[in-house]
Structure formats: C-alpha cells, structure tokens
Amino acid sequence: MTDLLTKPLQVYEQRVPNDLAALKAELKPGDVILVEGDQRISQVIRYLTQSSWSHAAMYIGDELRRFNVQVGDALVEAHGAEAKHLLIEATAEEGVICSPLTKYTNLNIRVCRPRNLRRDDLEHVLRELLAQLGRAYNTRHIVELGRYFFPVSMIPRRFRRTALRFGGDTTRRVICTTMLARAFGHIGFPILPRVTLDEIEAQHTWVGRLLRRNGNRTRALYEPEDPTFITPRDFDLSPYFDIVKFNHLVNGRFDYRRIEWAATTTQNQTSVAQVSLKPAEDESNVEPSAA
C-alpha cells in the first residue's frame, strides 16, 4: 500500500522556482515548511483537506548534532554541507527522518514562522521531535482522516473522531502534522484552536483608576486542540504563524511594473488594452445617412 501511495504523479507544476540560497538565508530553526507534494498520497491529502498543502516539516538547520551527534555525523557524511540545512519530517516511506532542505527545491513550498516563539520553548520542541527519529509513519491514520473529513457517512462525526483518536496498535506511529502539533501543544503554542471572546470585569487597581482603564475587558478563551486533527493547511491559516517570503520577493525588491511577461501574454494584454482604450465614436459627428 505504501508503494502505491508514494508513487509520483504523472503531472506536477512548480509555479514559482525556489531560490535555494535566499531560502537558506531566510529560514530559522522552528520554521514550518509546507509542501505541495508530488506523490499520490499528496493528492489524497490535498483532496481530503481542500488545501494546496499535503505535507509539513520543521526546519532545524544544524541543530541536530547538539541532540544526537551520531546521527548528525552520519548525515554530514551523506549530504556534506547540505547537512547544515536540515528538516525533520515524517514520511510514508521512511517514517520520522531528517532530510536536507534541497529535497523540496523543485516543489511548491510555503514557510510559516511561529510568532514570538521563545528560545527555551524552541529547545523543548526540537528535543521532542528529534527523540522521535526512526518512528514509523501511520498510513492508517490517513485512511481514518479521510473517513473523518468525508462529508457523507453513516457513522456520526463524534464516533469517527473517537476512532481516529484511539488508533489501536498504531498509537506510537505518527504523521507529519500530528507530530508537529503535539510538540507545539506541549509548550502551549496554538496552531488553529477555536477562540471564544467575551467581556469580563477588569480587576480594579490604583493604576487602572489613574489611567481610567478599570471596567470591562475582552477575554479570549482558547479551546485545547487535538493534534490528531491538525492538517498542513492549519499552519497556513493560523494567525499565530507568519508567512515568510523569499525568492525574488525577499527584501522588498518586487516591482510589478518591471515584470517581463512572456511574448504571448504581452501580445494579449496589448490587444486588450488597445480595444479598451479606443475612444467611442461621437454620434453627434456622424453625418446622417441620405434618405
């Protein structure tokens, strides 16, 4: 089944070429890399989650050797200088592994950076993720996830949720987003929880009286997230992760007026502009036709 799911798609389009040098310069440990994969399982995940993204990994740079010298040295031997730019991920073929960033150079990707993540919490996240190296990928979870998201079912959604959460003998296996979501959850960092806003009475203090700020205030109540249901698109939609731009957009150098369009597109735009800019014929100057 794994061989079938990981078979490459016949057609894949990379919409924007990745500038690897700019990407390496911009990335920081803890950044989440979303990937639009080129395998059959990627297509399944994108369909189920109604998203462009099928995979998520975390950039760890060269942090691996601080936690696991033996594995770090092996990756240096295997990948050379590229071992300074590593990702940790869970794949259907190999389970939890560290891969060089170059693995996804030719795929569509997005960088999501956790906002204001503290260094000590990042250490906790990295330690938890790297402790899972070698674990198997939970392919069954993808099937159960499909049953949960599929809109038509004889099984009530709450029962599908229970079956998905308690996966029997596969509970030690992981998928990419569940692994990341658990690590973030253990430090209390939100991904896409439900939030309820309500007004409560503010605590009266002499500072508040002085500044005239006593009274009601808005409180945000966050519902705990179940990492089992986190998907790659949740990192993209999350207000707690910033989207990091790179490639030709980095450093604010993008100027749409200097775009060099392909010949066919330019010709089409020119013809449309000529048609739209052509002045309307003034009816008052039109000579009446002979009766």
Side-chain angles (χ1 to χ4, degrees):
M1 181 176 180
T2 300
D3 292 339
L4 178 64
L5 289 174
T6 57
K7 187 175 181 180
L9 298 172
Q10 293 182 351
V11 178
Y12 183 89
E13 179 186 3
Q14 185 182 25
R15 288 176 285 279
V16 180
N18 293 315
D19 184 336
L20 187 59
L23 183 58
K24 290 178 178 178
E26 192 70 24
L27 285 175
K28 297 180 180 180
D31 287 348
V32 175
I33 312 295
L34 303 182
V35 182
E36 184 185 57
D38 61 350
Q39 300 176 336
R40 286 185 175 179
I41 191 173
S42 309
Q43 195 172 40
V44 171
I45 295 173
R46 291 200 303 269
Y47 173 77
L48 293 177
T49 62
Q50 296 296 291
S51 169
S52 297
W53 312 114
S54 60
H55 182 59
M58 178 174 286
Y59 181 75
I60 63 172
D62 59 355
E63 298 279 342
L64 174 60
R65 296 192 77 257
R66 295 198 301 110
F67 297 91
N68 194 323
V69 177
Q70 184 178 0
V71 176
D73 289 342
L75 287 173
V76 169
E77 185 176 349
H79 303 293
E82 296 302 330
K84 294 182 179 180
H85 303 279
L86 294 175
L87 307 170
I88 185 166
E89 59 180 346
T91 69
E93 308 98 307
E94 302 176 84
V96 182
I97 57 172
C98 285
S99 306
L101 180 63
T102 52
K103 178 178 180 179
Y104 296 116
T105 301
N106 296 321
L107 300 182
N108 297 308
I109 63 175
R110 172 162 289 176
V111 179
C112 302
R113 177 166 296 161
R115 180 175 295 184
N116 299 330
L117 180 62
R118 301 185 180 213
R119 179 65 200 189
D120 55 338
D121 286 331
L122 174 60
E123 289 281 321
H124 185 99
V125 169
L126 293 176
R127 186 178 298 108
E128 177 173 339
L129 293 179
L130 291 171
Q132 299 184 61
L133 285 172
R135 285 195 178 184
Y137 188 88
N138 192 353
T139 307
R140 173 182 169 183
H141 185 92
I142 300 298
V143 178
E144 298 293 344
L145 195 64
R147 291 171 55 192
Y148 176 77
F149 277 105
F150 197 68
V152 179
S153 176
M154 298 294 292
I155 305 175
R157 196 176 185 89
R158 64 182 182 275
F159 294 135
R160 285 181 277 156
R161 177 182 288 267
T162 302
L164 184 56
R165 184 181 295 114
F166 301 105
D169 60 355
T170 63
T171 52
R172 284 185 57 82
R173 300 187 178 191
V174 294
I175 65 170
C176 57
T177 49
T178 299
M179 180 178 70
L180 298 181
R182 283 175 180 162
F184 279 116
H186 289 158
I187 63 169
F189 194 96
I191 299 174
L192 199 61
R194 291 184 178 179
V195 181
T196 303
L197 300 179
D198 61 358
E199 284 193 357
I200 62 173
E201 185 177 352
Q203 184 177 1
H204 293 274
T205 64
W206 68 270
V207 176
R209 287 193 294 271
L210 181 63
L211 299 177
R212 297 183 179 181
R213 291 181 179 175
N214 287 328
N216 294 337
R217 66 180 180 87
T218 300
R219 177 181 63 176
L221 292 178
Y222 289 72
E223 294 186 20
E225 296 177 284
D226 189 336
T228 309
F229 300 98
I230 296 297
T231 63
R233 76 167 182 174
D234 293 333
F235 291 95
D236 189 14
L237 297 176
S238 174
Y240 316 105
F241 286 77
D242 294 323
I243 305 301
V244 178
K245 301 294 185 179
F246 58 97
N247 293 335
H248 57 279
L249 301 181
V250 76
N251 297 327
R253 294 177 297 184
F254 174 69
D255 184 351
Y256 68 91
R257 294 168 298 181
R258 300 173 67 97
I259 291 179
E260 186 174 348
W261 295 96
T264 54
T265 306
T266 304
Q267 292 172 0
N268 291 338
Q269 289 180 334
T270 302
S271 61
V272 170
Q274 289 174 345
V275 170
S276 60
L277 293 176
K278 183 179 179 180
E281 191 174 11
D282 189 350
E283 295 182 358
S284 62
N285 294 329
V286 177
E287 295 182 1
S289 57

